[in-house]
Amino acid sequence: MHDATLIDALTEERVDRVRWIARQHYEVTDAWFTLPGEDQQWRRTRVGALSTDIPDALSLAHRTLRHDALFVIEDARCHPEFTRHPLVVGSPGLRFYAGVPVRDHEGVGIGALCLVHTSPVSAAALNFDMLHVLASQIEDEIGHHLLTRRPPGLTLDDIDTLTGLPNRRFLQTLMKAELTLARQHRGHLSVCLLNLDGFKSINELHGSDIGDAVLRTVAARLRDAVRRKDLVIHLGGDEFVIVMRDVLQAEACQRILDQIRSPIETSGHVHALTASMGITGYPGDEADVDVLLHHAYQAMYSAKEAGKNGYCRFDLELHHARRARIAIVGDVHQALSQQRLELFYQPKIDYRDDTVAGFEGLLRWRLPSGEILPPGRFLPHVENTWLDVELSKYVIDKGLTALEHCMQRGLPYAVSVNVNPSCFLDSGFIDHLHQTLARHDQELVGKLTLEILESTSPQQDMDTIVANIRGCLRLGLQLSLDDFGTGQSSLSYLRTFPTQKIKIDRSFVIGMLDNPEDEAIVAAIIGLSKSFKRLVIAEGVENGAIESRLRALGCDLGQGFHYSPALPFEDAIEWAGEYCLHHRAF
Ligand code: C2E
Ligand code: CA
Ligand code: CA
């Protein structure tokens, strides 16, 4: 509940006038504006000496607030709950009571405006509309005072001498108090940071006297553009802050911008100014003065970037997403340098001769806790960052190492790794690829396949990507079009990229037996790859029935949980050995 100092700060005359009107209008003994305190009832009245120690349980204001509507006692002496009430048996000898709740801007009840009379009154004879209207006047008054009330100790140092507005120092004090209140009462607080566009040139062209005059005009206009209960602060220079206790609506933003836009005249000069505003607020944003201001600044810069002369709201979700992204890129980088990123190998089965053709190397992140994260948990955050290229270099190196191990053991397996096509725009990546492949013999390089996804790069970039990929193909490695059929331009990719292989995305394969359309797509891709003389591999082979169907359709290779998930290298090699044994046995 609000404390008594809040009421001390209220303009006495205004509340007293409301009470006076109520008393006159309803012809009652008195009208009170009362607040239930934490352990005492505080009553504002100049009429009669009233006790101030009525506990909440007995407080009529408290009772009215709990009732949450007009609360009437026609005759307290006949009312079982109130016959022994201190106000009934003692001073002022209350018989009739009618109170309505007074709420703050958030709708939280803070007190009651009530009529009291020393003889019984029949409620049916009264129309309480006027009482409600008067209560809302007090509500306005409270809303106003909560913002314009000066914290104790406000000195001239808190006022900006140029504009007469409160200054940055005051803003700190005010916002601290406002945030505390907003937290306690689940209220709102909007903070709008306003920066003039192009003010610097006015100062430079016309001198600082003219500049000061412009700032004074802007200050006055801002005061006019907001409500009496909102607060305008001059931060310094060409920056202002508006603080209000509710959500700053779009119309209000426009009104403020309009005010700045209309030409400003100073001793013979007419200046055209605009402003950029950044808005944030509690509770959407955090409850910390400096953080809120910082975020308002960020939003203001976004408004500048968006072309000035406008406003932008701080997007906390986006902010957190960005922060998380930056953090995770750092974490992945660290994992990479600590060798915590590994490739797991998923076997591919060649349907033409029932052998293990090789493996797809799929990234896994081994956390210090031992948990193993699949790429879906971290790759999306890394996409389109500098780390993307580093990861691609890394998996290529790992893939080549795996191939070396296979060759050393006389195992014929091939290995594929996934590479983001945008890497082919990075000259560092291409150099690395050339140098790395040059270190290995042709036979080994020929067993490495890069699986590339459809790129989201713009057309002009695509030409570079295609040219660079062609260059790499000349080095002897193989290329596979990954996730074929899921992108926008799979067909044009097929035409443009000189790839040896096509990989049918698992989304078509998994459901192909239940969904005739998926099967038709799978059949069409297989047909297409035959016409283009490419090898076709299906991923997502989850059971024997899918395998049989794929074989019947003429698919060359298959990969999926029906055979094995991706495994650590040694396990994968072991798995392949057993598969060989098993299939030779039949
Ligand atoms: P992808 O290239 O399509 O890889 C195949 C994904 O399908 C793998 O998921 C694999 O575990 C999963 N999979 C295999 N068989 C089945 C099956 O029968 N049923 C089902 N439902 N799923 C199956 P994973 O390892 O989580 O990889 C997800 C994606 O992450 C990959 O999709 C690939 O796009 C990306 N990725 C993985 N490793 C790398 C990498 O080294 N570099 C890049 N750039 N991307 C990678
Ligand atoms: Ca793949
Ligand atoms: Ca896929």
Side-chain angles (χ1 to χ4, degrees):
M1 279 291 149
H2 295 244
D3 56 73
T5 55
L6 160 76
I7 295 311
D8 292 337
L10 286 172
T11 314
E12 286 197 1
E13 308 89 73
R14 284 177 178 275
V15 175
D16 285 347
R17 199 170 67 224
V18 168
R19 290 178 41 236
W20 183 83
I21 295 169
R23 205 173 60 217
Q24 297 296 313
H25 183 83
Y26 289 101
E27 297 175 343
V28 287
T29 315
D30 207 348
W32 299 338
F33 172 47
T34 67
L35 294 129
E38 296 210 310
D39 50 8
Q40 64 163 22
Q41 172 163 315
W42 193 94
R43 265 165 296 146
R44 165 165 288 278
T45 173
R46 284 181 181 157
V47 185
L50 295 170
S51 68
T52 58
D53 52 0
I54 295 172
D56 258 6
L58 285 178
S59 153
L60 292 174
H62 201 264
R63 187 72 176 71
T64 308
L65 285 176
R66 263 189 299 144
H67 191 64
D68 204 27
L70 174 73
F71 176 63
V72 180
I73 308 166
E74 292 189 319
D75 185 355
R77 292 230 178 117
C78 302
H79 196 299
E81 222 184 294
F82 299 102
T83 39
R84 307 208 155 274
H85 194 280
L87 292 175
V88 177
V89 292
S91 167
L94 178 150
R95 295 286 292 272
F96 168 78
Y97 173 94
V100 289
V102 171
R103 303 181 176 90
D104 69 7
H105 65 289
E106 267 290 277
V108 177
I110 55 166
L113 176 65
C114 56
L115 308 173
V116 290
H117 202 52
T118 43
S119 28
V121 177
S122 160
L126 295 175
N127 178 340
F128 290 102
D129 286 353
M130 185 63 167
L131 192 62
H132 284 288
V133 169
L134 292 172
S136 64
Q137 281 195 6
I138 294 186
E139 285 172 351
D140 285 351
E141 196 58 34
I142 291 166
H144 172 64
H145 273 274
L146 289 181
L147 275 185
T148 52
R149 128 189 95 103
R150 302 280 182 266
L154 178 89
T155 65
L156 272 181
D157 290 345
D158 295 315
I159 303 292
D160 167 51
T161 44
L162 175 66
T163 58
L165 293 176
N167 59 18
R168 179 187 288 269
R169 186 182 132 132
F170 178 71
L171 179 70
Q172 286 284 342
T173 322
L174 172 100
M175 272 181 53
K176 253 191 219 121
E178 286 301 312
L179 278 171
T180 308
L181 268 181
R183 252 192 309 245
Q184 280 170 356
H185 302 291
R186 275 177 277 133
H188 283 275
L189 192 72
S190 288
V191 180
C192 166
L193 190 119
L194 184 143
N195 181 296
L196 299 177
D197 304 322
F199 175 74
K200 216 171 133 234
S201 65
I202 293 183
N203 253 349
E204 282 168 4
L205 277 175
H206 306 286
S208 58
D209 283 352
I210 301 268
D212 286 353
V214 169
L215 287 178
R216 269 194 292 270
T217 308
V218 169
R221 287 188 182 179
L222 287 177
R223 265 266 44 112
D224 282 350
V226 299
R227 298 159 305 184
R228 210 163 46 107
K229 60 184 176 184
D230 303 329
L231 201 86
V232 182
I233 281 154
H234 185 211
L235 265 193
D238 58 349
E239 281 180 346
F240 297 83
V241 170
I242 299 168
V243 179
M244 53 178 69
R245 286 209 164 160
D246 38 26
V247 179
L248 184 54
Q249 303 294 337
E251 307 84 68
C253 295
Q254 285 307 340
R255 199 169 53 238
I256 294 167
L257 289 171
D258 287 346
Q259 281 286 340
I260 308 287
R261 263 197 294 263
S262 58
I264 297 173
E265 270 194 61
T266 56
S267 49
H269 299 284
V270 180
H271 312 275
L273 267 180
T274 59
S276 298
M277 305 197 307
I279 302 156
T280 190
Y282 178 83
D285 200 348
E286 279 148 60
D288 178 287
V289 176
D290 293 327
V291 174
L292 277 176
L293 279 177
H294 180 66
H295 289 172
Y297 264 106
Q298 275 182 269
M300 186 272 289
Y301 286 120
S302 302
K304 292 253 185 211
E305 270 170 33
K308 303 183 175 171
N309 189 17
Y311 66 92
C312 189
R313 288 181 201 273
F314 180 75
D315 186 338
L316 191 69
E317 250 174 58
L318 189 73
H319 173 75
H320 283 321
R322 274 196 199 132
R323 286 257 291 263
R325 198 177 145 100
I326 292 167
I328 205 159
V329 169
D331 290 349
V332 173
H333 181 223
Q334 197 180 29
L336 188 67
S337 52
Q338 293 175 346
Q339 302 275 333
R340 293 195 163 277
L341 296 184
E342 297 174 23
L343 284 186
F344 273 33
Y345 297 86
Q346 185 176 36
K348 297 176 184 178
I349 306 302
D350 194 326
Y351 294 149
R352 296 164 302 178
D353 56 6
D354 255 324
T355 55
V356 176
F359 310 93
E360 175 178 7
L362 292 157
L363 263 180
R364 298 288 182 268
W365 179 354
R366 196 184 290 272
L367 297 180
S369 66
E371 192 192 346
I372 291 178
L373 292 188
R377 294 275 296 277
F378 57 95
L379 278 188
H381 302 282
V382 173
E383 233 164 44
N384 301 319
T385 67
W386 59 275
L387 203 53
D388 224 2
V389 167
E390 293 310 308
L391 279 176
S392 293
K393 286 183 192 169
Y394 182 80
V395 297
I396 289 172
D397 291 350
K398 287 278 172 196
L400 285 167
T401 309
L403 278 171
E404 274 175 344
H405 287 320
C406 289
M407 277 186 100
Q408 282 159 9
R409 300 178 201 185
L411 298 169
Y413 308 128
V415 168
S416 65
V417 292
N418 295 278
V419 173
N420 210 315
S422 60
C423 290
F424 289 95
L425 288 172
D426 187 293
S427 58
F429 173 77
I430 294 164
D431 291 347
H432 177 86
L433 195 58
H434 275 79
Q435 285 160 18
T436 313
L437 295 184
R439 282 203 300 272
H440 295 88
D441 67 56
Q442 270 311 111
E443 198 194 337
L444 189 133
V445 172
K447 285 185 180 295
L448 181 70
T449 297
L450 303 186
E451 299 194 9
I452 53 171
L453 285 167
E454 212 168 272
S455 171
T456 46
S457 298
Q459 189 56 45
Q460 62 268 35
D461 288 353
M462 272 311 297
D463 297 341
T464 318
I465 291 175
V466 172
N468 288 336
I469 284 181
R470 281 179 191 277
C472 293
L473 282 172
R474 283 196 287 276
L475 300 170
L477 45 72
Q478 312 237 338
L479 225 55
S480 175
L481 277 185
D482 207 353
D483 290 358
F484 192 82
T486 53
Q488 299 288 308
S489 44
S490 295
L491 285 182
S492 69
Y493 259 64
L494 185 61
R495 205 185 48 200
T496 325
F497 281 110
T499 69
Q500 294 90 340
K501 298 169 198 164
I502 294 173
K503 198 162 192 181
I504 311 172
D505 190 63
R506 62 182 181 278
S507 61
F508 303 117
V509 177
I510 288 167
M512 65 184 275
L513 297 184
D514 309 316
N515 187 339
E517 274 139 20
D518 283 352
E519 184 174 345
I521 290 173
V522 172
I525 298 175
I526 293 171
L528 206 60
S529 59
K530 300 282 167 213
S531 326
F532 280 77
K533 300 203 169 48
R534 316 281 171 98
L535 269 187
V536 61
I537 170 163
E539 65 176 20
V541 183
E542 293 195 344
N543 53 55
I546 295 178
E547 183 196 284
S548 306
R549 189 76 199 109
L550 287 168
R551 284 179 188 266
L553 288 169
C555 188
D556 302 312
L557 297 116
Q559 171 184 351
F561 294 164
H562 176 51
Y563 312 109
S564 168
L567 301 169
F569 181 73
E570 292 301 336
D571 296 348
I573 295 293
E574 194 178 321
W575 183 93
E578 272 168 28
Y579 184 92
C580 271
L581 277 178
H582 182 74
H583 283 262
R584 274 207 199 108
F586 287 92

